[in-house]
Amino acid sequence: VSHQKTDWISIHGHICHLLIPVLGPQPCFHSEKDRKDGKEQLLRRQESLIAVALTTAQRFVWAGKHLEAIPAALQALRFRSQVFGSGSVQLVPIYLLLAEASTGTGHLRQAAKYLSQAQWIVLQTPDCSAALQSKLHRGLGLFSIAEGNLDQALYHLANDVYLATAEFGLNSVEVSGGYFHMANIFFHQNKMDAANSLYTEV
């Protein structure tokens, strides 16, 4: 019952009206044009569902409500898998979001599985953008912090900064997150010169 309540609060209350036309029986079309229009309409509905679920999950994570974020992110994963396939690079941001939410709830083993899935997809995608690789390294860095492996965290966050710089430029706001998390690590290690330098950069 508690899981159903969490699920309802998280996402089903927002998408119930969108689910019926997507999951219900599809109409039978008699012409090729009608079939094509029907497929396009179904795709638009699925994309709308994904957008609502993903936005909802992200909002919960930002609010620190990690448990509530998971059902919404799982719905986004489900429908995006249907649209793009289970090995699509389009799934990586959702796996990273699920990993962050799972880490926030203390389920580090589950978070590691989501990160492994994201990492596998990126490795299987030779033309994967530097921006997405940067997000993957940030996710791995934050997970390493949660595990208490600060050296590994610094390695991943340095890669995050390098890849974000390659994609967006040295002084872009996208680079600041990696610097910020690195600064926090140096601060906790009492390496104040390095921490202050990175905070200034942010």
Side-chain angles (χ1 to χ4, degrees):
V1 172
S2 66
H3 285 182
Q4 285 179 336
K5 186 177 179 185
T6 302
D7 194 54
W8 179 260
I9 292 168
S10 170
I11 190 62
H12 274 101
H14 302 285
I15 65 169
C16 239
H17 63 289
L18 299 170
L19 284 172
I20 296 166
V22 171
L23 299 179
Q26 298 302 308
C28 184
F29 299 109
H30 299 291
S31 73
E32 185 61 36
K33 182 184 181 304
D34 289 343
R35 273 193 291 277
K36 186 181 176 187
D37 291 346
K39 277 186 178 179
E40 287 175 0
Q41 187 178 39
L42 178 62
L43 183 61
R44 281 195 301 272
R45 286 172 172 165
Q46 287 173 320
E47 287 173 345
S48 178
L49 265 172
I50 293 164
V52 171
L54 205 48
T55 303
T56 303
Q58 188 66 73
R59 194 168 59 241
F60 277 127
V61 167
W62 286 337
K65 298 178 178 179
H66 298 101
L67 188 63
E68 289 89 339
I70 292 172
L74 287 172
Q75 285 295 330
L77 181 66
R78 173 188 177 191
F79 286 105
R80 194 168 270 187
S81 296
Q82 287 177 5
V83 173
F84 296 104
S86 59
S88 168
V89 74
Q90 300 282 342
L91 304 183
V92 171
I94 304 175
Y95 280 124
L96 296 177
L97 190 59
L98 281 164
E100 188 176 351
S102 297
T103 301
T105 61
H107 295 106
L108 296 184
R109 186 176 293 178
Q110 187 61 51
K113 287 180 183 178
Y114 289 132
L115 285 168
S116 293
Q117 193 67 33
Q119 199 168 22
W120 183 84
I121 292 172
V122 167
L123 289 171
Q124 298 297 312
T125 311
D127 59 344
C128 183
S129 70
L132 194 57
Q133 291 180 62
S134 166
K135 287 181 182 177
L136 173 63
H137 278 286
R138 186 171 301 179
L140 290 165
L142 293 175
F143 178 74
S144 297
I145 292 170
E147 281 192 314
N149 190 344
L150 299 184
D151 289 337
Q152 187 74 8
L154 287 170
Y155 166 79
H156 285 300
L157 292 169
N159 277 308
D160 165 25
V161 168
Y162 171 77
L163 290 160
T165 300
E167 182 78 13
F168 302 106
L170 193 60
N171 295 318
S172 63
V173 71
E174 287 83 1
V175 179
S176 63
Y179 281 138
F180 180 74
H181 293 300
M182 289 175 76
N184 286 342
I185 291 172
F186 287 128
F187 179 82
H188 289 298
Q189 291 177 332
N190 210 26
K191 296 176 180 176
M192 299 311 295
D193 287 346
N196 288 330
S197 173
L198 288 172
Y199 283 135
T200 302
E201 192 68 32
V202 173

